[in-house]
Amino acid sequence: SFLNYLRQIPIIMEINMLVRLLYVSREINNEIANLAETSLDRFRESNTQNDITGVLCEGEGLFLQVLEGERSNVNKLYASILRDTRHKDIELLYFEEIKERFFDGWTMEYIHIKFLYQAIKQKHPDFDPYVYPGKLSIKIVMDYLKAEDAGQ
């Protein structure tokens, strides 16, 4: 019968669905800046264990981060970030399912935000991640990194 035939066809599911998340937060008493400087190796080790990649942009009182990985792992990390009392005004700017990683191999790249802002503000002088649409913010960050990677 047709139902028996269907039962024999293997069902392919994306068990390890990949996602990309962008959030922004504000520093409290420069604790995040100190945390980023002193704990980057620990973050990278944890991200390697959890197969999370991304980029951390920090400075000027802001913390802007892109995370990529299996949905459950990224959600768990983001939940721990929400509980972290060393920063405030945490806002999820963008979240999407992805087919492949943009930050493949980057357990956590670090960029001081002033370099990012210098490039961004040439095209978007009024850029503020709290106001700009999330989709535009993630595009701006990724375009900057593509240009840097190309040596421009």
Side-chain angles (χ1 to χ4, degrees), residues 35-103:
L35 177 71
E37 291 171 15
T38 60
S39 301
L40 202 53
D41 287 338
R42 188 169 47 84
F43 294 159
R44 287 178 175 145
E45 182 179 325
S46 175
N47 288 346
T48 298
Q49 291 172 358
N50 292 296
D51 197 24
I52 292 176
T53 56
V55 63
L56 166 62
C57 305
E58 173 272 318
E60 298 186 21
L62 291 179
F63 195 48
L64 186 67
Q65 188 168 27
V66 180
L67 302 171
E68 291 178 336
E70 193 276 325
R71 182 173 60 189
S72 178
N73 290 345
V74 170
N75 281 325
K76 287 175 188 171
L77 177 56
Y78 185 64
S80 73
I81 290 165
L82 289 172
R83 291 188 304 269
D84 190 331
T85 59
R86 295 172 289 197
H87 49 148
K88 62 181 181 178
D89 302 332
I90 303 166
E91 286 193 25
L92 177 65
L93 302 178
Y94 191 71
F95 184 90
E96 68 175 331
E97 294 176 1
I98 57 175
K99 295 287 184 198
E100 61 185 15
R101 295 172 192 251
F102 178 83
F103 301 99

Side-chain angles (χ1 to χ4, degrees), residues 3 23 27 37 42 46 61 66 68 104 128 139 151:
L3 285 177
Y23 77 91
E27 299 175 351
E37 291 171 15
R42 188 169 47 84
S46 175
V66 180
E68 291 178 336
D104 195 29
D128 177 347
K139 181 182 181 325

Side-chain angles (χ1 to χ4, degrees), residues 116 120 124 127 132 136-144:
L116 179 67
I120 290 173
H124 307 275
F127 178 74
Y132 263 58
L136 181 57
S137 296
I138 191 88
K139 181 182 181 325
I140 288 169
V141 170
M142 292 170 73
D143 286 350
Y144 168 79

